[in-house]
Amino acid sequence: MATASKIDNDRITEVSKTLLDARRHAGSLPGFPGELPPTLADAYAIQALSRADFGHPVSGWKVGGIPPAQAEVLGANFLAGPIFAHQVVHADGEAIVHMPVFADGGAAIEPEFVLRLGETRADDRVFIGVEIASSPIVGINQIGALAVVCDFGNNRGLLVGPEIENWVERLAEPVTVKSYIDGEEVGARELDGIAQMAGPRDFLIEHAASSDIDLPVGTLISTGAITGIHDAVVGASSTLDFGEFGKLNIELVAADPEA
């Protein structure tokens, strides 16, 4: 959770500006701009400034797992990043959807359950979906969770697919999800769908409360990669198969500069 920042405002501003400039110009950065922030609180301070300066409304949040070795050092199992409204796409059946990524940075495809917050937990709704993880920072995942947090959680979009009606009952049974890139299976997993969402949901609510972040009804939560983080490049096609809940088909395209 957020605690006092250990770096000064000039450094926060410098990193935020560099990352935002790269995003706005659909550019790339060969590495993190300078030294990494020393704590998650510092990384979230950079993210918060960038979020405010980006000028686009937030409609959701991605929650990702922090690798165990980093989690022990950082004192957290999850991280969060904003999902901007103009980068949320709703699938039209199984039609191929073009999803933009940073062509010279990094990109990955992650099948996920997407939770839509209701007035109460009982009113939550669940959809199948795909998070597009992409950053101007080359090799961001290898740099680590602090870099990921700074750059909007390494998010570049969310595809929301069909709703899972009566999800509490239907996800009580094991679910098998499979991921394909360019026709080749790159990941498969049988999982407890409810457990997959519970930890990320609870984390985000606690994180938001400690970080002065509003989570209105309708907020989307991308609850974590199910079959893994599947690296891909511009031009790659992918099918994400959620079994009885449907399939999503995407093609990665190069992101255009933003206003």
Side-chain angles (χ1 to χ4, degrees), residues 125-139:
R125 298 165 63 185
V126 175
F127 305 77
I128 64 173
V130 186
E131 186 209 348
I132 302 301
S134 189
S135 167
I137 302 172
V138 176

Side-chain angles (χ1 to χ4, degrees), residues 20-28 101-104 136 254-258:
L20 273 185
D21 284 350
R23 277 193 170 250
R24 285 175 171 141
H25 292 91
S28 67
V101 297
F102 296 101
D104 296 323
D256 293 324
E258 299 201 31

Side-chain angles (χ1 to χ4, degrees), residues 25 61 67 89 96 98 109 135 139 176 193 221 225 231 258:
H25 292 91
W61 294 84
V89 181
I96 295 173
H98 290 165
I109 297 166
S135 167
T176 297
I221 306 174
D231 291 335
E258 299 201 31

Side-chain angles (χ1 to χ4, degrees), residues 5-256:
S5 176
K6 293 184 178 180
I7 58 176
D8 62 36
N9 289 335
D10 287 345
R11 176 62 179 149
I12 290 172
T13 300
E14 175 189 14
V15 175
S16 172
K17 183 179 185 305
T18 301
L19 295 178
L20 273 185
D21 284 350
R23 277 193 170 250
R24 285 175 171 141
H25 292 91
S28 67
L29 298 169
F32 192 82
E35 293 184 3
L36 285 170
T39 68
L40 276 175
D42 299 309
Y44 281 119
I46 292 167
Q47 182 192 111
L49 178 59
S50 294
R51 190 171 71 246
D53 287 350
F54 197 37
H56 295 286
V58 173
S59 64
W61 294 84
K62 67 86 56 81
V63 176
I66 297 177
Q70 295 180 49
E72 184 175 355
V73 173
L74 296 174
N77 294 317
F78 296 105
L79 59 80
I83 300 173
F84 296 95
H86 70 298
Q87 294 174 350
V88 175
V89 181
H90 294 272
D92 180 11
E94 295 185 7
I96 295 173
V97 180
H98 290 165
M99 298 298 289
V101 297
F102 296 101
D104 296 323
I109 297 166
E110 304 176 12
E112 313 207 358
F113 291 121
V114 179
L115 190 147
R116 183 183 186 274
L117 287 179
E119 288 279 2
T120 68
R121 187 183 291 262
D123 298 320
D124 290 348
R125 298 165 63 185
V126 175
F127 305 77
I128 64 173
V130 186
E131 186 209 348
I132 302 301
S134 189
S135 167
I137 302 172
V138 176
I140 188 171
N141 285 326
Q142 288 67 47
I143 296 171
L146 291 169
V148 170
V149 168
C150 288
D151 193 38
F152 294 153
N154 189 23
N155 177 265
R156 184 51 183 79
L158 179 68
L159 175 62
V160 181
E163 183 173 3
I164 302 176
E165 303 281 356
N166 303 314
W167 65 270
V168 174
E169 292 80 8
R170 296 178 74 189
L171 292 179
E173 298 296 325
V175 179
T176 297
V177 178
K178 296 182 179 180
S179 299
Y180 301 84
I181 295 179
D182 294 334
E184 179 181 353
E185 183 177 309
V186 294
R189 182 181 170 202
E190 182 181 81
L191 77 159
D192 179 329
I194 294 176
Q196 172 77 12
M197 292 180 289
R201 183 191 190 280
D202 292 345
F203 160 78
L204 184 64
I205 289 173
E206 183 180 351
H207 171 72
S210 68
S211 304
D212 196 26
I213 292 171
D214 186 31
L215 297 178
V217 170
T219 295
L220 300 174
I221 306 174
S222 189
T223 60
I226 294 173
T227 63
I229 300 170
H230 307 299
D231 291 335
V233 297
V234 169
S237 61
S238 178
T239 295
L240 297 312
D241 186 346
F242 290 79
E244 67 175 290
F245 304 124
K247 295 180 181 179
L248 297 172
N249 293 293
I250 67 172
E251 181 181 332
L252 299 186
V253 298
D256 293 324

